[in-house]
Amino acid sequence: MATVRAADSILRASLRPSLSSARCCGRVPGGASWSRVPPSSMSVRWKSGPYGYTQAKALVFSEYGEPKDVLKLHTHSISPDLPSSSVLLRTLAAPINPADVNTIQGTYGAKPTFTSLIGTPAPAALPGNEGVFEVVASSSPPPASSSGLAKGDWVIPAKTGFGTWRTHAVAAADSVLKVDKEGLTPTQAGTVAVNPCSAYRMLRDYATPPLREGDWFVQNGANSGVGRAAIQLGRLWGYRSINVIRARSDEAATQALRDELTALGADHVVTEEEFLSREFKDRVGEWTRGTGGAGVRLGLNCVGGKSAQTIAKTLGTGGTMVTYGGMARQPVALPTGLLIFKDIRFVGFWLSRWADGDKVAKARTVNEILDLVRQGKFRDTPVVDVPWSWDTEEAKLKEAVQGTLEGFRAGKGVFVFGET
């Protein structure tokens, strides 16, 4: 968790054991005895608690495993005395991405840092790579602040590993990026940094030479957040797309999904069964006639197995396949002839490497996509709101996380924070 490591001193100076923990010891922050606090105050939850401490909750885990088994809802307090160049943040929205679940399971490529900085009984990690926060307080004078952050501003994490599944956070001012909240909902701002940015960078950065208007790309997982973003960005930039989906339980549901993706800008939407058929190659030839022999120039793979192999076979000479996921949990097996005779290139894309390595490029990409959202040119990915208020039970939050990897879903789960 890069941000926690970078802000160790800030967190140590600002975070205190929860009031409930202090109560067990018979004292409150500042040394007062609980017997001296009026009983009526004990039955009320203070957003800014006694002595100005902010009460906060966070989902944490101290060992790897299934979310339902290892996630815990931890309560702690944040001091009103913020260290220099830091901000107190209130979370507005934070999505539940598959990579977050894989991190909890211990199967993701990057391992989190386990610390006791927020007073957990055992060293714990805070999951969640994406989200949007509101600045509650800043320790830098607003006019002269190099961060340019003021109360009420919206910010997103500058790097991955921030730990967004919590009601509040204390962070270094340079560990977040300010976003213009005008014309946006919290969900729109809170879901821009992973899926849309992934689609943007893969479409722009990996074809050699870069894709031009009229060029074709093919992708599996077309109904995913990345897939939907790629369809829309491709349409805006003049690219043409072949999009592979899993068939639904009946033909009517499958057709409804085809129509939905076509409305976003997809040129062709096919099922996995159609894609893997022997006749599909001929269909691609008909669709890409007039490209001067270039055929399909870019493939985006998030499935693996036979689907990835078929993407590779669909590419024209000199094409590139970018792998950014492996939902089928099957290896990518490639015919040697594609490497020798068609000069196909195979690369991987890991958002964290790009996002953490170029903060300026991330800010530029995020702002460009959010401008498209404001203009009505980029539609939201379907989401399922998961309300999180102060009284939300731990079991409800864990259930939402556990369900992320289960079957067909109506949309991406997003924690939407209310009265916290």
Side-chain angles (χ1 to χ4, degrees):
M1 298 178 59
T3 302
V4 171
R5 287 196 299 268
D8 276 358
S9 58
I10 290 177
L11 289 172
R12 288 194 181 97
S14 347
L15 300 176
R16 298 291 187 272
S18 69
L19 293 181
S20 59
S21 299
R23 186 177 185 181
C24 295
C25 301
R27 312 287 292 181
V28 295
S33 166
W34 278 109
S35 63
R36 298 173 61 186
V37 180
S40 60
S41 70
M42 305 316 302
S43 61
V44 179
R45 187 257 156 179
W46 302 48
K47 275 196 283 187
S48 286
Y51 305 94
Y53 281 72
T54 297
Q55 304 297 286
K57 290 186 177 182
L59 277 175
V60 300
F61 63 102
S62 295
E63 58 181 336
Y64 296 122
E66 290 302 312
K68 62 183 178 63
D69 299 324
V70 300
L71 283 179
K72 304 295 181 184
L73 188 59
H74 174 71
T75 303
H76 60 286
S77 300
I78 300 175
S79 168
D81 298 323
L82 296 178
S84 176
S85 301
S86 64
V87 285
L88 172 62
L89 307 173
R90 181 175 75 90
T91 319
L92 301 177
I96 307 168
N97 289 305
D100 300 323
V101 178
N102 294 150
T103 299
I104 297 167
Q105 294 169 328
T107 60
Y108 195 59
K111 304 302 181 186
T113 298
F114 292 80
T115 76
S116 298
L117 291 178
I118 61 172
T120 51
L126 287 82
N129 282 308
E130 187 179 26
V132 62
F133 302 81
E134 180 182 46
V135 175
V136 176
S138 172
S139 59
S140 302
S145 172
S146 60
S147 67
L149 298 178
K151 183 177 180 180
D153 286 344
W154 285 10
V155 298
I156 64 173
K159 294 185 177 183
T160 56
F162 190 88
T164 58
W165 296 359
R166 46 179 160 172
T167 62
H168 299 78
V170 175
D174 62 1
S175 70
V176 294
L177 299 173
K178 180 179 176 180
V179 295
D180 181 2
K181 63 184 178 182
E182 186 68 29
L184 300 175
T185 67
T187 298
Q188 289 170 331
T191 57
V192 69
V194 173
N195 292 335
C197 284
S198 293
Y200 186 111
R201 298 276 41 118
M202 288 190 291
L203 289 175
R204 285 298 208 199
D205 297 344
Y206 285 91
T208 307
L211 294 180
R212 300 179 295 270
E213 186 174 350
D215 283 344
W216 286 82
F217 71 92
V218 59
Q219 63 170 342
N220 53 28
N223 187 42
S224 66
V226 174
R228 286 171 172 261
I231 290 171
Q232 296 183 78
L233 293 173
R235 174 181 55 82
L236 290 170
W237 297 333
Y239 308 157
R240 307 196 66 184
S241 62
I242 300 169
N243 303 274
V244 186
I245 60 172
R246 291 181 293 169
R248 271 30 190 179
S249 57
D250 59 74
E251 181 53 39
T254 301
Q255 186 58 48
L257 180 55
R258 291 181 198 265
D259 294 343
E260 186 178 351
L261 298 184
T262 299
L264 290 179
D267 289 279
H268 301 285
V269 181
V270 300
T271 65
E272 193 79 28
E273 291 75 15
E274 292 174 304
F275 186 54
L276 297 178
S277 69
R278 292 184 177 182
E279 299 79 20
F280 187 73
K281 181 178 180 180
D282 295 333
R283 295 174 67 183
V284 172
E286 294 174 6
W287 294 338
T288 60
R289 189 175 299 160
T291 61
V296 179
R297 296 197 52 225
L298 182 68
L300 307 181
N301 165 52
C302 67
V303 176
K306 291 183 179 179
S307 182
Q309 187 178 87
T310 304
I311 282 183
K313 291 179 179 178
T314 302
L315 295 174
T317 300
T320 301
M321 185 174 84
V322 185
T323 292
Y324 67 98
M327 292 190 298
R329 297 185 179 180
Q330 297 173 358
V332 177
L334 303 171
T336 304
L338 296 180
L339 296 166
I340 299 174
F341 304 115
K342 294 187 69 175
D343 194 25
I344 304 298
R345 296 172 176 84
F346 301 95
V347 298
F349 174 79
W350 187 24
L351 178 71
S352 297
R353 182 183 296 113
W354 167 78
D356 295 352
D358 195 338
K359 181 178 176 180
V360 173
K362 177 177 179 176
R364 184 170 57 246
T365 303
V366 164
N367 287 329
E368 184 174 339
I369 294 170
L370 290 180
D371 281 342
L372 294 174
V373 173
R374 293 187 189 92
Q375 297 168 30
K377 296 180 179 180
F378 190 92
R379 299 186 199 175
D380 304 346
T381 295
V383 300
V384 175
D385 288 353
V386 180
W388 184 339
S389 64
W390 184 257
D391 296 323
T392 301
E393 296 178 356
E394 176 185 290
K396 292 288 185 183
L397 303 177
K398 291 164 65 172
E399 179 183 0
V401 177
Q402 187 67 40
T404 297
L405 300 179
E406 296 176 358
F408 297 122
R409 296 176 56 81
K412 175 195 292 289
V414 177
F415 291 126
V416 178
F417 293 78
E419 192 69 16
T420 58

